[in-house]
Amino acid sequence: MRRDMRRDMRPDMRRMRRVHTSVLAIAALAVLIGFTHAARADVQVSCNVVEIEGSSSDAPSLDPELKSLEKKLKKPPFSSWNTFKRLGAQTVTLSMMKAASVPLVHGKAELLLRDVTAPGSKKRRLSLGLLLDDADGKRVVDTKVSVDLGDWFMLARSMKSNRGQVVALTCKLL
Amino acid sequence: MSKVTDPDLMMLADGELDAADASALERAAGANGVVKVAAVREVGDLVRGHLELATDEAEDRLAGLWTLVERRLDGGEVEAPERAKSDREPSASAGGVWSRFLRWVDGHRGHLLTGALSAGAVAALAFVLRAEPRVEIRTVEVPVKGSATGPDVGSGGSDPIVLTATPPSIESLEVTGGTGTLFTIEDDDGGSETAVIWVTPDDVLEGI
């Protein structure tokens, strides 16, 4: 009789065991996804934002603090100017999907870190949302870009009197 | 019968000839032959007597062997050898582990020899058919400092990991009140390109 009872209970126990295994697997997956998500949420990057004013003058000059960008500024389309002055430089720490505002002399910029990926053997790559407003608060540019960590990205805007504003930024992982 | 030889006389002494030949040979052999036959018979008696004595002496020793053979024939193979051994080697059981080991080796000599020969054959085959040391030549691309695929030293790693650069990409661009133009500036040092979004506002265009 005991054997019969055991035989009757066996399918139920098997079913229960399957349920337990499935629950454990789902829990483990959830924990793994949670950790991954938390790890991605913890990602922070530090971005260096440099505001430059370009113009044409009889006395070409380059701000000594723009030495790292000199080669880029001497090439088209920036070569239409011969004078570059650094208006300001700021370091902004960006967290995932948190917008950061950067006040500029000629307006305002807003940065949003959208994603950081490391595709295989390639450099880590940032996906950024960028907004640029002019001094009157008028939206000039709304863009989403993907750049490698450490690479420069530049936004340039023509202004009256053959002048222009250049916002250059580069980011590194914290 | 013309001539009587010694072998003929020996056959006569041993009784290997039939009666007619034996009487003819005795007549032909004469007195000298009769003496020889008598001498051969006497030597034969002496040898037989010696062998009988030797057999009697060996009987006690062989009695154990016969007992052993009989027991084995009766199915007592296990106890009999041990008893025979203990009879023959009374100190063997008291000889300790070493003597037991030697006895075991002695009893399994065939197996051990087969195993040793097999192992030797396998070793010889392995030695003959061993693989030649393989020389592998690899060409490793070493990135030049500042190249497009510049080294990116990972945190904590001692070896530089070469990571490929990806050109910048613009996923979306929305320009308000002006025209947007996308440029890329090549890096002289072989680094990755720099993306430039150039915006020309409409009011500036009108001024031009």
Side-chain angles (χ1 to χ4, degrees):
Chain A
M1 187 176 175
R2 189 180 293 174
R3 190 176 289 174
D4 291 342
M5 281 174 66
R6 204 180 292 170
R7 199 187 301 151
D8 291 339
M9 283 178 70
R10 226 171 255 166
D12 292 340
M13 287 175 73
R14 276 191 204 145
R15 206 171 300 134
M16 285 287 283
R17 194 174 294 173
R18 270 187 213 146
V19 169
H20 285 163
T21 310
S22 306
V23 168
L24 276 175
I26 290 166
L29 195 65
V31 168
L32 193 68
I33 290 169
F35 272 126
T36 311
H37 190 72
R40 288 184 69 183
D42 287 345
V43 170
Q44 283 191 322
V45 295
S46 169
C47 293
N48 187 22
V49 183
V50 182
E51 186 184 11
I52 304 161
E53 186 181 273
S55 60
S56 293
S57 68
D58 295 334
S61 67
L62 180 82
D63 200 319
E65 289 177 296
L66 296 174
K67 203 72 182 170
S68 59
L69 290 168
E70 183 180 5
K71 286 180 181 175
K72 297 182 198 305
L73 294 174
K74 284 191 173 176
K75 287 183 176 179
F78 301 114
S79 55
S80 59
W81 298 319
N82 59 13
T83 304
F84 296 94
K85 183 184 173 188
R86 197 184 83 159
L87 299 178
Q90 298 170 60
T91 303
V92 188
T93 301
L94 299 179
S95 298
M96 199 66 80
M97 297 307 287
K98 282 183 185 171
S101 184
V102 182
L104 304 170
V105 173
H106 294 299
K108 186 184 80 172
E110 196 172 289
L111 309 179
L112 178 69
L113 177 62
R114 301 172 62 83
D115 201 3
V116 180
T117 54
S121 62
K122 294 182 177 178
K123 283 184 175 178
R124 287 196 186 183
R125 201 161 170 81
L126 290 179
S127 179
L128 288 171
L130 286 170
L131 300 174
L132 183 65
D133 296 343
D134 64 10
D136 300 328
K138 188 180 163 190
R139 177 66 36 93
V140 179
V141 176
D142 181 353
T143 184
K144 287 175 193 165
V145 296
S146 288
V147 287
D148 286 350
L149 268 173
D151 283 358
W152 284 96
F153 177 76
M154 300 166 106
L155 269 171
R157 179 169 68 97
S158 298
M159 296 192 297
K160 288 177 181 172
S161 310
N162 199 20
R163 288 186 305 126
Q165 178 199 22
V166 179
V167 178
L169 68 97
T170 180
C171 299
K172 61 180 181 182
L173 205 62
L174 284 178
Chain B
M1 188 167 281
S2 57
K3 189 179 178 183
V4 178
T5 60
D6 286 346
D8 293 336
L9 294 174
M10 288 172 75
M11 288 173 73
L12 176 65
D14 291 340
E16 293 176 2
L17 299 174
D18 54 24
D21 289 343
S23 60
L25 190 60
E26 279 173 358
R27 277 196 304 274
N32 192 22
V34 171
V35 171
K36 279 185 178 178
V37 169
V40 169
R41 281 182 178 153
E42 192 174 344
V43 170
D45 287 341
L46 284 170
V47 171
R48 271 190 293 276
H50 178 74
L51 288 176
E52 280 173 11
L53 284 171
T55 306
D56 292 342
E57 283 175 10
E59 196 170 357
D60 293 338
R61 283 183 283 142
L62 293 174
L65 180 65
W66 284 117
T67 311
L68 176 67
V69 170
E70 282 169 7
R71 282 184 184 170
R72 279 198 173 181
L73 288 172
D74 291 342
E77 290 92 343
V78 181
E79 297 86 357
E82 289 175 359
R83 189 172 300 171
K85 275 183 187 174
S86 62
D87 291 343
R88 215 170 27 212
E89 302 169 24
S91 61
S93 59
V97 178
W98 180 244
S99 61
R100 265 186 287 172
F101 172 72
L102 287 179
R103 277 206 306 277
W104 181 85
V105 169
D106 204 28
H108 296 81
R109 194 180 297 157
H111 298 127
L112 291 174
L113 202 62
T114 308
L117 280 173
S118 304
V122 169
L125 274 175
F127 182 76
V128 170
L129 302 174
R130 73 188 188 279
E132 290 295 322
R134 199 175 63 175
V135 178
E136 192 173 334
I137 300 169
R138 286 184 182 177
T139 306
V140 180
E141 191 177 340
V142 180
V144 180
K145 189 181 176 185
S147 68
T149 55
D152 186 6
V153 180
S155 58
S158 57
D159 295 331
I161 302 163
V162 180
L163 297 174
T164 315
T166 312
S169 63
I170 310 298
E171 293 169 26
S172 70
L173 175 62
E174 203 174 308
V175 179
T176 311
T179 307
T181 312
L182 180 65
F183 296 91
T184 53
I185 301 175
E186 293 277 347
D187 193 353
D188 286 343
D189 298 329
S192 57
E193 297 167 338
T194 302
V196 179
I197 293 176
W198 190 281
V199 178
T200 308
D202 292 338
D203 53 348
V204 175
L205 273 175
E206 284 166 10
I208 294 170

